[in-house]
Amino acid sequence: MSRVPRFAMKRPSLERFRRQLASVDAMPQLCILGILAGILTGSVMVAFRLLLNFGALFFMPDADPEAFESLSPFLRAALPLAAVALIGFWLWPQPGRAAKMGISHVIERLAYQQGKMPLRNWVNQWWVGIVSVLGGLSAGREGPAIHLGSAASSWIGTRLRLPHNSLRVLVACGTAAGIAASFNTPIAGVIFAMEVVMMEYTIAGFMPVILASTMGALVSWTVYGAEPAFSVPPLHLDSLMDLPGIVVTALVVGLLAGGFVRLSQGHSAVTRLPFALRLGVIGLLTAAVAWWYPEVQGIGYDSIDRMLNGSVALDVLLVLAVGKLALTAICIAGGVPVGIIGPMLVSGAAVGALMGVIGGSLLPSVTTAPDLYAVLGMAAMMAAALQAPLAALLALLELTRNTEIVLPGMLAVVVAVMTARQLCRCQGFFLSSLAQQGLHPLQQPLMQALSRVAVPAVMERNLVRTPRVIDQERAKALLDSKPTWLVITQDDKEKPPLAMKAAHLARVLHDEAWLAEHEQIDLEEVPGQRLDLAPVHLEATLSEAYDTLTESGVDALYVEHTTAPMIRRISGIITREAIENYYRRKR
C-alpha cells in the first residue's frame, strides 16, 4: 500500500529570517517588520504627546501645552529662559555628538551608519523635545517624533541582529509612522519617509513603510481619534483670477523658506560663541517676542486653527510669518535641535493668510477668503524649505480631505520650490544642514543599490577552513565536501587568512610528480591565485562590503559572525567581482 507523502513546513527560525532579509526581494519579511515598527512608533508618539500633556498639568491652563496666550507676560517670558537653562544643563556635560537629534540626525545615521541609532541621542531627544515645546521655544513635535520612532524601529533590527539593509527600511518605517501618528496623515508619512529620509523609491521599500504608517496612524487614532492635527474648513478655488495671487504668495513663501534655511545654518561667528552664550541669546530673543506675542511659542497648531476658522490680527500674522520662522532658525543655529515642521506650517499658514487679507483688501471682488491662501501657504512652505514637493502635496490633500484644492496646491508648491531653489540656492533644510557638517546623504547609484541587500545574499558559503600546511590525506579529505573556496588560516594569529580556489588544490592532487616532491603540502606554494582577505560582519550591506574592500585594498572578504561570546565563525567569502556582478544583474 503506497503511502501518501507528507508535506512538512519548515520550522521558523531567526537565523532563516535573517538570511531571507539579506535579499533585496524579502518583501514578506520586511512587511512583518513594518507592522512591528509602526505599532512601536505609534506607541512612542502617543507616549511623547502624553508626556507633553502631563508636563502642561503643572503650569498650563486646562493642561493644554499650547495655551501660552493664557499665561501672564512674565511667566511666558520666563519659560524660554528656563527651557534653555534646562537644555544647557542636560547637554553641557555630554560630547558634541550627543546633541545631534531630529530628522537631520536620522538622515545622517541612515546614510553613513546604516540606520544604527545611538541610545544616548535617543534619550536626549525625549528631554530636549519635551522641554523645548513646554518651555515656549518655537519648536515642533514632529522632528522628535521621527527621531524617537526611527530609533525605536531601528532598535528592533539591532536587538535581533538583522542585516543592515533591513535596518534602513526600519528607519523609514519609523519615520513614516511618526508623521502619520503626529498629523493623522499616513499617506504623507509614507512619501515623506521615501522623499526626504530614504531619498529613493523602490517597491520593496514602499510596502513595509505603508504598513508601518498605517499602524502608526491606527495606534494614534485609538487614543486621540481620527481627526487631523487641526481642523480645516471646506475650501475651493472660486475663480481662476485667484491664480496670480497664489503665485505671488508662493513667491513670498519661497523667499522666506530660503531665508529660513540660510539663517538656520548659522554664521561662523555665531557657532564660535560659547554654548551657554548661544543659549542665552535664544532664550532672551524668544522671551522678548513672547512678552508681546505669545503665539510664537510652542508648536502653534492653535494659531493655525484660528487662521483657518476665525480671524487673526494683521500684526499677529506678520509676527507668525516672519518672527516664528526666525526664532526657529535661531534655535537651530544656536545648537538647540528643535523640531521645525510644526513652526514651518504655522509660518506658511500666516504668510498665506496675510497675503489673502492684503489681496482681499486690494481686490475684494477677485481674491478668495484668506483661509484658502493659508492652507496653500502651509504646503508651499513645507515643500520649499524641505525641497519635498510630493510629501507637501499629499499632506495638503490629507489635511483638507478635499481634492479640489490639489490644483492650486500644485501651482503653489512648484512656484515656492523653484523660488527657494533658484533664487535662494536652497537645497533643502536637511541637505543643507548635513552639507554644512561636511556630510552629504545622497549616495552614488552604485552605493544606493548595494545598500538594499546584505552580504549573505551574495557570499559564497561553500568553503572549508584549513591550516596552511597539511598532509596529502588531509588535503583529499578537505575536497570530499567539494568546496569552492579554501580559507587558509595563518600560524600568526595576527595575520588575516587567505582564500584560494579549491580547484587549485584538486589539480595538484592529480599531479603525481608534484606530490612525489611534496610529502607535506604548503598551501601557499600550491600553484594558483591566493587572495588576501579582510573581515566583514554578516549583518553588513554590500555597500559596507564594497567600502571595506576599497579601504583595505584587498579583493575579497571573509564574512564572520559571533556564535557565542568570544567565538567567531567564518560563514562565507565575498569577492569584489561577486559584488560587481550582482550590481550588473540588478540594473
Side-chain angles (χ1 to χ4, degrees):
M1 182 177 177
S2 61
R3 300 180 63 183
V4 178
R6 299 174 64 185
F7 297 93
M9 294 181 62
K10 292 184 178 179
R11 294 181 62 185
S13 70
L14 185 56
E15 189 63 36
R16 185 180 300 113
F17 189 68
R18 294 189 187 114
R19 187 176 301 178
Q20 292 167 337
L21 281 171
S23 171
V24 72
D25 301 320
M27 192 180 299
Q29 294 77 19
L30 290 174
C31 286
I32 293 172
L33 292 178
I35 292 172
L36 295 176
I39 295 173
L40 181 58
T41 299
S43 303
V44 167
M45 187 60 201
V46 167
F48 185 75
R49 294 177 65 175
L50 289 175
L51 284 174
L52 288 176
N53 293 332
F54 177 75
L57 279 173
F58 296 97
F59 59 93
M60 285 290 198
D62 301 322
D64 182 359
E66 296 194 70
F68 293 98
E69 295 88 343
S70 302
L71 300 176
S72 67
F74 176 80
L75 180 55
R76 65 186 182 228
L79 282 175
L81 297 174
V84 294
L86 289 172
I87 292 172
F89 174 78
W90 183 268
L91 294 181
W92 177 74
Q94 303 185 46
R97 62 180 180 274
K100 293 184 177 181
M101 288 169 254
I103 304 173
S104 296
H105 176 65
V106 172
I107 296 175
E108 177 188 338
R109 300 297 297 188
L110 183 69
Y112 296 99
Q113 300 296 330
Q114 303 299 326
K116 292 183 177 179
M117 301 288 181
L119 177 60
R120 175 184 288 181
N121 299 66
W122 188 73
V123 173
N124 288 342
Q125 182 64 91
W126 283 96
W127 175 261
V128 174
I130 291 171
V131 171
S132 61
V133 173
L134 289 178
L137 299 178
S138 181
R141 71 185 181 212
E142 295 76 24
I146 289 173
H147 181 185
L148 295 173
S150 297
S153 300
S154 176
W155 173 83
I156 296 174
T158 304
R159 185 71 175 175
L160 298 178
R161 292 187 295 150
L162 301 181
H164 292 171
N165 62 320
S166 59
L167 290 187
R168 292 171 50 81
V169 177
L170 281 168
V171 168
C173 290
T175 298
I179 290 289
S182 182
F183 285 113
N184 281 340
T185 53
I187 300 177
V190 172
I191 301 303
F192 184 91
M194 306 305 288
E195 187 176 30
V196 177
V197 177
M198 291 287 284
M199 301 182 191
E200 64 179 9
Y201 297 94
T202 62
I203 295 298
F206 257 122
M207 301 307 291
V209 174
I210 290 172
L211 285 173
S213 186
T214 302
M215 300 308 298
L218 288 175
V219 171
S220 177
W221 290 358
T222 59
V223 180
Y224 295 104
E227 293 302 315
F230 29 79
S231 59
V232 181
L235 301 171
H236 61 276
L237 189 66
D238 290 335
S239 169
L240 294 180
M241 298 299 292
D242 273 304
L243 295 182
I246 292 173
V247 170
V248 173
T249 301
L251 282 169
V252 175
V253 169
L255 291 174
L256 285 173
F260 165 75
V261 173
R262 291 294 183 88
L263 181 59
S264 65
Q265 292 176 1
H267 191 273
S268 58
V270 175
T271 56
R272 285 198 296 264
L273 293 175
F275 185 49
L277 183 57
R278 281 182 275 148
L279 291 178
V281 171
I282 293 170
L284 288 172
L285 286 176
T286 306
V289 178
W291 181 277
W292 305 105
Y293 295 99
E295 292 84 359
V296 300
Q297 294 185 284
I299 305 172
Y301 288 165
D302 55 340
S303 297
I304 293 180
D305 272 324
R306 287 195 294 273
M307 282 184 260
L308 297 179
N309 300 283
S311 61
V312 179
L314 286 179
D315 59 331
V316 175
L317 289 178
L318 184 60
V319 171
L320 286 175
V322 180
K324 187 170 182 63
L325 202 62
L327 288 174
T328 306
I330 290 169
C331 284
I332 299 293
V336 180
V338 297
I340 66 166
I341 296 180
M344 281 193 314
L345 294 177
V346 175
S347 177
V351 174
L354 188 61
M355 297 298 292
V357 170
I358 294 173
S361 62
L362 296 177
L363 300 169
S365 61
V366 174
T367 304
T368 306
D371 50 5
L372 173 65
Y373 283 76
V375 171
L376 296 178
M378 284 194 294
M381 182 65 76
M382 178 179 175
L386 303 183
Q387 291 294 295
L390 190 55
L393 279 173
L394 287 172
L396 173 68
L397 179 61
E398 287 191 288
L399 287 171
T400 62
R401 301 180 180 180
N402 182 358
T403 57
E404 293 183 14
I405 204 172
V406 173
L407 178 60
M410 292 170 67
L411 177 62
V413 162
V414 169
V415 173
V417 168
M418 293 298 292
T419 301
R421 194 174 188 89
Q422 300 301 320
L423 297 184
C424 302
R425 303 298 178 186
C426 172
Q427 297 180 333
F429 175 80
F430 300 117
L431 288 181
S432 299
S433 299
L434 295 178
Q436 185 186 18
Q437 304 172 36
L439 300 169
H440 202 291
L442 287 178
Q443 299 173 306
Q444 298 175 356
L446 169 63
M447 304 307 290
Q448 198 171 53
L450 296 182
S451 294
R452 302 185 192 121
V453 63
V455 293
V458 178
M459 72 182 186
E460 175 58 60
R461 303 173 185 273
N462 193 10
L463 58 85
V464 292
R465 296 183 64 175
T466 176
R468 172 181 169 180
V469 180
I470 57 176
D471 57 33
Q472 296 181 14
E473 292 300 321
R474 175 68 183 278
K476 294 176 182 178
L478 288 175
L479 299 178
D480 285 344
S481 60
K482 297 182 180 179
T484 302
W485 288 98
L486 301 177
V487 178
I488 307 169
T489 56
Q490 304 279 10
D491 295 333
D492 186 352
K493 299 299 184 183
E494 298 298 323
K495 291 183 179 181
L498 301 174
M500 184 179 73
K501 285 289 185 72
H504 298 319
L505 177 60
R507 186 168 53 248
V508 299
L509 288 179
H510 289 85
D511 187 342
E512 295 184 1
W514 193 91
L515 291 176
E517 297 178 4
H518 299 80
E519 293 184 5
Q520 296 287 318
I521 301 176
D522 187 339
L523 293 176
E524 289 199 12
E525 295 181 3
V526 171
Q529 184 184 17
R530 276 162 292 276
L531 302 178
D532 293 324
L533 298 177
V536 68
H537 200 273
L538 185 67
E539 299 167 9
T541 62
L542 290 188
S543 63
E544 291 177 279
Y546 194 86
D547 286 338
T548 303
L549 285 169
T550 303
E551 293 169 4
S552 59
V554 298
D555 291 315
L557 305 172
Y558 64 93
V559 183
E560 64 176 6
H561 72 281
T562 304
T563 56
M566 305 302 292
I567 299 177
R568 294 181 178 179
R569 187 169 70 87
I570 296 179
S571 303
I573 296 289
I574 185 166
T575 63
R576 185 186 301 272
E577 182 183 11
I579 295 175
E580 293 173 349
N581 287 341
Y582 176 86
Y583 176 67
R584 294 190 191 102
R585 290 198 307 270
K586 295 298 180 180
R587 287 178 64 179

